[in-house]
Amino acid sequence: MKKILFYSLFFPMVIACKKQNAQAISNLPEPDPAVNGSTYTVITAVTNISLDSGTICRLGLAPYASFFKFDRSIKNGDLYYKAIGESAKYFRPLKFFIANNGTGVIVAVAAPSKPEVDKFNKEWHKGD
């Protein structure tokens, strides 16, 4: 009887946690249209997050050897940071808007479209 009670309580919690984790990426607002003119986009997953100083983090993005900078103090920065953490934890793709000026600064993050996610997954799971 204890096992049945345990499983009846445990499984709904696991499912709820998985749904909650998926919300970080799906709840991202669309970036300001002005961002599009001064950035390029990359659809990829985060491989590394490290605190640089204050609110600035260094991100490793697959498959790039160099690091990118992300400042949590930008508009929607905390939402972006949550999604970035999920991307790193589950290797889920995000759409990164990176400044076109060669600094490697990420100015916005968005949820990729279904075709973009499918393309990413196909490219990263070739050998599976």
Side-chain angles (χ1 to χ4, degrees):
M1 182 66 176
K2 287 182 182 179
K3 282 186 177 180
I4 293 171
L5 180 59
F6 172 77
Y7 288 121
S8 66
L9 294 174
F10 179 72
F11 285 120
M13 289 171 53
V14 170
I15 292 168
C17 289
K18 286 185 178 184
K19 285 182 181 178
Q20 208 170 32
N21 286 338
Q23 287 179 346
I25 289 177
S26 63
N27 286 340
L28 291 173
E30 283 300 313
D32 185 346
V35 166
N36 290 335
S38 62
T39 62
Y40 64 94
T41 59
V42 174
I43 313 301
T44 192
V46 178
T47 58
N48 184 320
I49 303 170
S50 61
L51 183 62
D52 206 9
S53 66
T55 59
I56 298 175
C57 300
R58 291 182 346 155
L59 302 180
L61 302 179
Y64 302 97
S66 60
F67 284 95
F68 295 83
K69 291 182 183 177
F70 172 72
D71 188 346
R72 286 182 70 171
S73 68
I74 64 172
K75 181 180 177 182
N76 298 315
D78 286 333
L79 286 173
Y80 296 158
Y81 188 75
K82 222 178 209 181
I84 287 167
E86 181 180 320
S87 175
K89 187 174 182 178
Y90 299 106
F91 201 69
R92 290 189 180 144
L94 288 170
K95 181 183 263 188
F96 293 92
F97 293 81
I98 302 167
N100 245 350
N101 59 8
T103 60
V105 174
I106 296 168
V107 297
V109 180
S113 67
K114 172 119 174 64
E116 290 169 330
V117 169
D118 291 345
K119 181 179 178 190
F120 173 84
N121 288 332
K122 183 178 178 186
E123 289 174 358
W124 280 97
H125 300 290
K126 287 180 185 175
D128 291 347

